[in-house]
Amino acid sequence: LIAGAPPVIEVDVDRTWWILESDEAIALLETDPKRGLDATQVELRRQRFGSNELEREPARSPWLIFGAQFANTMIVVLAVAGAITAALGEVKDAVVIAAIVVLNAAIGFVQEFRAERAMSALRDMTAPTARVVREGRQITVPAPELVPGDLVVLEAGDVVPADLRLLEAPNLRVNEAALTGESLPVDKQSGALAAGELVAERTNLAFKGTAVVYGRGRGVVVASGMATELGRIAALLGQQRSPATPLQRRLAVLGRRLAAAALVVCVVVFAAGVLRGEDVSLMFLTAVSLAVAAIPEALPAVVTISLALGAQRMASAHALIRRLPAVETLGSVTVICTDKTGTLTEAKMLVERIWTLAGELELTGSGFEPSGQVRAGDLPHLPEPETAAARLLTVAGLCNDAALIAPSDGGDWSVAGDPTEGALLAAAAKGGLDPENLRRTHSRIEELPFDSARRRMTTFHQAPGGELAACKGAVESVLDTVSTVAAPDGERPLVGVRDLVLGQADAYSQAGYRVLALAGRLIPASEPQDRAEQGLVLYGLAAMADPPRPAAQRAVEACRRAGITPVMITGDHPATAAAIARRLGVLDHEEVVTGATLVEEHARGLADHVERVAVYARTSPEQKLDIVQAWKSRGAIVAMTGDGVNDAPALLAADIGVAMGAVGTEVAKEASDLVLTDDDFATVVTAVGEGRRIYDNIRRFVRYTLTSNTGEIWVMLLGPFVGLPLPLLPVHILWINLVTDGLPGLALGVEKAEPDGMRRPPRPPAESIFARGMWQHVLGVGLLMGMIPLALGIWGSATDRPWQTMIFTSLAALQLGNALAVRSERHSIRSLGFATNRPLLATVVFTLALQLAVVYWPTAQGLLTTEALSALELGVVLVASTAVFWVVELEKAIRRRFRSRPGTEGPGG
């Protein structure tokens, strides 16, 4: 600051602070390293940099958001249809349509707040207060009042209030999982770094919103508010908007086409009737009724009900839907970008293997539960007390501050304390030791705590005949304290086996394990008790990993069978990521790419080879976003899983954002469409199957209702040409539209999944809802559905029978047969089973009963202008009305025969 003049702050908050020594950072920030800032400096910097808070855009008016939901073709068509229906006196039908319109608008209204809630959750992650040194005194201030240059004091349990360049970091460990995806707390230090392109590499910085889990520290604020890493993610999040789902896009196109078709039908029927000399008002009502019939106003209801029921089923399978259209979008997914820790793996660091000079041992058991076995090969082998493995497990239990917590509600065992120490403690218990009894009989006398410089911890315990030294830590660090190595035939000098030990440690590391060395020594009572880290005996190595979830490999295989590409994106080390990916089948011949490699690539360049990469390690939030956008630029429908703040922009940009419910941050959950309560990748695959079922059901309804509507249109258009001036009255059309169209259509929305639903490739993202032969089916079967009633009408008219009632009844019965036949596009009704969709079966019976009631009940006859049919007439009508059912079944048989040939199976089955 310039003395004698208003200070002008020229702090560069975008500087690469990690490459500077701490005194250089202090000098650039013009801060006194002991006294901190004074009140004047604080005020001027607050004016310059603003509050240490995350910004948010001004909220739009709720009325504007709600009104925007009606800028949708199908909604407009529905509103017009409702108005026309009300004008025609069908008040109940109009009320139902209005309710559908309002429900769809409400769903869209709720969706608009998702990004804003995610921003609010980001704000909540910041620390409410901070301990800061100002004018030589340590005081507590609200975190938003921090400014660049402030000296901040950190202790275990604190949430870091701003981005800090650490000045002191004795034993400081910070959990950055929410920001970087690293599965373990990060050891911090205060020295300058040569590199730090990725956040995870900047170990001399502490970042806003992360949590101190061990030790203490002192740092200077180098960035506040939106200039922090958390603020940068917030800015990315604010730039993203949830994309329209494939279903929303398809229904928008369908709505526009049906609106145009309805208008054409209305004009043609009205003009043709007037030209024939029919009453103008009657033809207007007929034309409008037929236009309303051409619009499947029950479609939004079927979609909403199908999605809601699907959401209920997913909730029972540990998947909570936050955005209803996402249920169907899951069925369109072609790529699943998944986090590793907690999703593909159990998020529990466990000791899987122990290595000594006597050989390798494998630990079995479930999670942290203190039961299991140590196995040598396939045979159970509990180590004898004097073996190297037994001594290793003893050190694991003693050089340890963690505790195993028994489940209180039937859940899993957990750990209080450091996860790594919890893994070692569980290993000791699985080896037959009782950790609590071990600690009682070997009380701790002294300890040399873990230090980031030494990278090891040593404790000293009372033991029979003297004191026991127990040491654990990084392999090379522990070897510095070792003189001999335990072997089956005694002890060998370290010099002769050092390369063997290091080679085994490297092999474990390459396989994705985290490796610790464990050593110790019984110091006889006759020796001086110097309690030094020297002359120890190396017992062996413990290889620990976050094991894959039991169902994850099967889920990855299911993805492959379903034509879905699994991609792992993690903040972990590349070797760890690659090892887990190979075990699960995610990685085969594809590439492993690190964040450092992606730094040099723009998202557009990434899109050129994104299909060749199966694993991304050490990635930043921007890179996760780039990966999602690169896949989307290739036309993929992308699901993205994540749990941290760093995942939020990609979660929001993906077609389906999937957050972890158990360990996920509120930011990730608010940015997501789907929340997994069990954090299991297999649940995502189950949800994809449910999404495919729902889309199949929506296609069933569209196929059914458009075929039925086409049949009505053919009857009205062709009737005059075969001598039937007005085949159906307006009231007949509205009855069919309301009863025989609506009720069976709703029941089709609960059809069970087809057996091959997850053994077929995803449908192409750009595929029309009319693809795979639907429009041909609609026109062809619709024409048949129109010709049969007309043929019955001609016969009835020629023989002086109630021909109009015969046409009316046959059209209704034909639609019911069609409903039974379109339950599957490929499988026969016999293979599906008549009773497997009981709601549909009940609806068909009920609807047929209603139709017969309006034919034979005198009151209904007067309302719908019908006449009673004789037994012969009814029999002929019902037999003829089975024709559509048999024709559709024949069509499916031909389809099955054709698609059974090699190379003829198309996308989507």
Side-chain angles (χ1 to χ4, degrees):
L1 300 179
I2 302 173
V8 178
I9 308 301
E10 296 295 343
V11 176
D12 180 9
V13 295
D14 294 323
R15 184 180 295 275
T16 52
W17 296 99
W18 57 91
I19 68 173
L20 302 177
E21 295 291 349
S22 57
D23 56 351
E24 293 179 290
I26 286 289
L28 285 170
L29 289 163
E30 304 180 47
T31 299
D32 188 309
K34 294 184 179 180
R35 294 182 52 82
L37 302 177
D38 60 31
T40 302
Q41 289 175 305
V42 170
E43 181 58 33
L44 289 170
R45 297 185 187 209
R46 186 176 295 118
Q47 295 175 13
R48 166 71 174 82
F49 296 106
S51 176
N52 179 35
E53 296 180 290
L54 302 184
E55 297 174 0
R56 63 189 305 173
E57 296 180 1
R60 285 192 299 161
S61 164
W63 291 109
L64 288 177
I65 295 175
F66 188 73
Q69 308 310 312
F70 294 91
N72 176 288
T73 304
M74 185 63 92
I75 294 295
V76 172
V77 170
L78 281 173
V80 172
I84 294 173
T85 305
L88 293 172
E90 297 294 328
V91 178
K92 291 183 179 179
D93 205 7
V95 170
V96 171
I97 295 173
I100 294 169
V101 170
V102 173
L103 178 60
N104 279 272
I107 292 171
F109 176 79
V110 171
Q111 291 172 206
E112 292 287 335
F113 286 105
R114 293 177 61 248
E116 188 170 341
R117 289 201 302 269
M119 291 292 294
S120 297
L122 272 170
R123 292 162 63 95
D124 293 341
M125 282 191 63
T126 58
T129 60
R131 285 186 295 276
V132 61
V133 177
R134 289 179 180 171
E135 297 180 338
R137 294 183 300 111
Q138 181 175 312
I139 59 175
T140 299
V141 301
E145 295 183 6
L146 290 180
V147 295
D150 260 327
L151 295 180
V152 176
V153 177
L154 298 175
E155 293 181 0
D158 288 348
V159 175
V160 180
D163 284 5
L164 311 177
R165 172 60 172 88
L166 295 171
L167 309 177
E168 302 171 10
N171 304 323
L172 182 65
R173 304 180 76 187
V174 179
N175 184 349
E176 297 180 346
L179 195 65
T180 66
E182 289 279 5
S183 57
L184 293 172
V186 179
D187 296 320
K188 293 294 184 177
Q189 51 106 2
S190 58
L193 300 172
E197 291 294 338
L198 299 177
V199 171
E201 298 172 345
R202 302 171 192 171
T203 56
N204 57 8
L205 299 182
F207 301 101
K208 182 182 179 75
T210 60
V212 179
V213 296
Y214 191 83
R216 58 185 178 82
R218 192 165 174 266
V220 60
V221 176
V222 295
S224 61
M226 294 298 289
T228 62
E229 287 297 321
L230 194 65
R232 192 166 52 81
I233 294 174
L236 282 175
L237 194 59
Q239 295 167 9
Q240 304 306 315
R241 291 293 180 267
S242 297
T245 70
L247 180 62
Q248 288 171 324
R249 294 193 291 268
R250 290 181 178 109
L251 292 183
V253 173
L254 179 62
R256 290 192 293 271
R257 291 179 178 176
L258 292 179
L263 180 61
V264 171
V265 168
C266 185
V267 171
V268 170
V269 170
F270 176 77
V274 171
L275 290 175
R276 289 196 312 269
E278 300 285 354
D279 179 73
V280 174
S281 60
L282 177 62
M283 286 313 304
F284 176 76
L285 283 175
T286 302
V288 170
S289 299
L290 199 58
V292 171
I295 301 170
E297 64 266 24
L299 177 58
V302 169
V303 171
T304 302
I305 291 171
S306 297
L307 296 179
L309 292 175
Q312 288 181 0
R313 276 186 290 268
M314 288 185 185
S316 65
H318 309 292
L320 303 180
I321 294 293
R322 299 187 62 258
R323 184 174 174 234
L324 207 54
V327 178
E328 182 277 332
T329 309
L330 280 161
S332 306
V333 166
T334 59
V335 176
I336 300 179
C337 295
T338 176
D339 189 19
K340 176 186 75 68
T341 305
T343 309
L344 292 171
T345 65
E346 295 184 359
K348 297 174 181 177
M349 188 63 70
L350 300 174
V351 177
E352 292 189 348
R353 299 182 182 278
I354 290 173
W355 179 87
T356 71
L357 285 183
E360 184 182 69
L361 302 175
E362 180 183 356
L363 276 73
T364 66
S366 175
F368 294 118
E369 184 176 348
S371 63
Q373 290 181 326
V374 180
R375 293 178 179 271
D378 295 328
L379 300 176
H381 174 68
L382 293 177
E384 296 297 328
E386 297 305 315
T387 65
R391 294 178 181 182
L392 181 150
L393 294 174
T394 299
V395 170
L398 290 175
C399 188
N400 201 308
D401 292 320
L404 299 179
I405 308 299
S408 58
D409 55 357
D412 297 330
W413 282 73
S414 59
V415 168
D418 185 86
T420 300
E421 293 192 338
L424 291 170
L425 198 62
K430 291 175 182 179
L433 300 178
D434 182 345
E436 294 302 320
N437 183 61
L438 188 65
R439 289 172 177 176
R440 282 194 300 270
T441 58
H442 295 73
S443 58
R444 185 179 299 186
I445 302 169
E446 187 179 339
E447 73 173 88
L448 299 175
F450 177 87
D451 181 274
S452 57
R454 296 185 313 118
R455 297 187 301 151
R456 64 178 178 264
M457 172 184 180
T458 304
T459 56
F460 299 87
H461 307 263
Q462 289 182 347
E467 290 185 6
L468 177 64
C471 176
K472 73 171 188 294
V475 176
E476 292 188 352
S477 175
V478 171
L479 289 182
D480 290 342
T481 71
V482 166
S483 58
T484 59
V485 180
D489 56 353
E491 295 179 4
R492 298 183 188 179
L494 174 63
V495 176
V497 294
R498 184 184 182 95
D499 289 344
L500 178 62
V501 174
L502 291 175
Q504 183 61 46
D506 184 63
Y508 277 145
S509 296
Q510 292 298 319
Y513 288 103
R514 185 184 184 197
V515 188
L516 292 181
L518 294 98
R521 183 169 79 95
L522 180 64
I523 306 171
S526 59
E527 289 188 16
Q529 306 297 314
D530 58 2
R531 296 170 188 163
E533 294 177 306
Q534 59 185 12
L536 302 183
V537 180
L538 178 69
Y539 297 137
L541 307 176
M544 58 184 66
D546 182 6
R549 287 180 176 269
Q553 185 173 0
R554 294 193 300 273
V556 170
E557 291 172 357
C559 278
R560 298 285 194 189
R561 286 196 304 270
I564 300 170
T565 303
V567 178
M568 179 190 291
I569 307 177
T570 178
D572 273 348
H573 191 277
T576 304
I580 293 293
R582 288 192 183 95
R583 289 175 66 177
L584 293 173
V586 172
L587 184 64
D588 185 11
H589 59 278
E590 301 92 348
E591 301 175 22
V592 178
V593 173
T594 65
T597 303
L598 293 179
V599 167
E600 303 176 0
E601 298 198 34
H602 188 269
R604 182 175 299 175
L606 177 60
D608 294 336
H609 65 270
V610 69
E611 295 175 347
R612 300 195 300 271
V613 182
V615 177
Y616 297 88
R618 290 287 172 89
T619 51
S620 69
E622 294 93 338
Q623 289 165 348
K624 292 185 178 186
L625 185 59
D626 283 348
I627 293 165
V628 169
Q629 291 176 335
W631 272 109
K632 292 179 68 174
S633 72
R634 304 285 294 182
I637 300 297
V638 183
M640 171 76 190
T641 76
D643 56 11
V645 178
N646 60 324
D647 300 316
L651 288 173
L652 197 59
D655 296 285
I656 289 289
V658 183
M660 304 298 106
V663 300
T665 62
E666 288 303 314
V667 183
K669 294 175 188 176
E670 290 294 344
S672 69
D673 306 286
L674 179 70
V675 177
L676 305 183
T677 59
D678 60 356
D679 294 2
D680 194 340
F681 180 77
T683 304
V684 182
V685 179
T686 300
V688 169
E690 180 66 20
R692 290 190 175 188
R693 187 192 69 82
I694 288 170
Y695 183 71
D696 287 345
N697 285 350
I698 292 170
R699 268 181 61 94
R700 288 182 185 105
F701 173 80
V702 171
R703 177 186 294 263
Y704 166 72
T705 191
L706 292 187
T707 302
S708 300
N709 293 351
T710 302
E712 296 173 44
I713 292 170
W714 282 123
V715 167
M716 297 301 293
L717 288 178
L718 299 180
F721 295 99
V722 295
L724 304 174
L726 195 61
L728 294 172
L729 298 175
V731 69
H732 296 156
I733 296 172
L734 290 175
W735 171 265
I736 292 174
N737 190 43
L738 177 63
V739 178
T740 57
D741 270 10
L743 295 179
L746 292 173
L748 284 171
V750 298
E751 185 69 39
K752 294 181 179 180
E754 296 190 14
D756 60 349
M758 286 297 285
R759 293 197 300 271
R760 65 193 190 203
R763 57 189 177 274
E767 178 186 276
S768 165
I769 201 168
F770 292 106
R772 289 181 272 134
M774 182 185 282
W775 69 268
Q776 296 96 325
H777 174 95
V778 167
L779 291 179
V781 177
L783 179 60
L784 176 64
M785 194 175 290
M787 296 302 293
I788 290 172
L790 288 176
L792 291 172
I794 294 171
W795 173 65
S797 178
T799 56
D800 197 24
R801 299 177 185 275
W803 61 270
Q804 196 171 53
T805 301
M806 293 173 67
I807 290 176
F808 175 41
T809 303
S810 64
L811 194 55
L814 281 162
Q815 293 186 6
L816 297 180
N818 187 35
L820 292 173
V822 299
R823 288 178 55 195
S824 172
E825 296 183 27
R826 181 175 177 181
H827 298 283
S828 69
I829 190 69
R830 182 178 178 182
S831 63
L832 293 175
F834 277 95
T836 52
N837 187 340
R838 293 184 179 180
L840 178 62
L841 194 60
T843 300
V844 167
V845 173
F846 177 68
T847 304
L848 182 59
L850 286 178
Q851 182 64 34
L852 295 177
V854 301
V855 172
Y856 293 103
W857 185 28
T859 303
Q861 288 176 343
L863 292 173
L864 275 82
T865 316
T866 59
E867 301 175 62
L869 301 177
S870 68
L872 173 64
E873 293 161 352
L874 180 61
V876 171
V877 166
L878 292 180
V879 170
S881 297
T882 65
V884 166
F885 173 84
W886 296 116
V887 167
V888 174
E889 285 293 299
L890 177 62
E891 176 195 16
K892 290 190 289 185
I894 295 172
R895 187 189 294 260
R896 287 194 302 274
R897 185 176 182 84
F898 174 73
R899 290 190 175 179
S900 65
R901 299 174 185 173
T904 59
E905 182 68 43

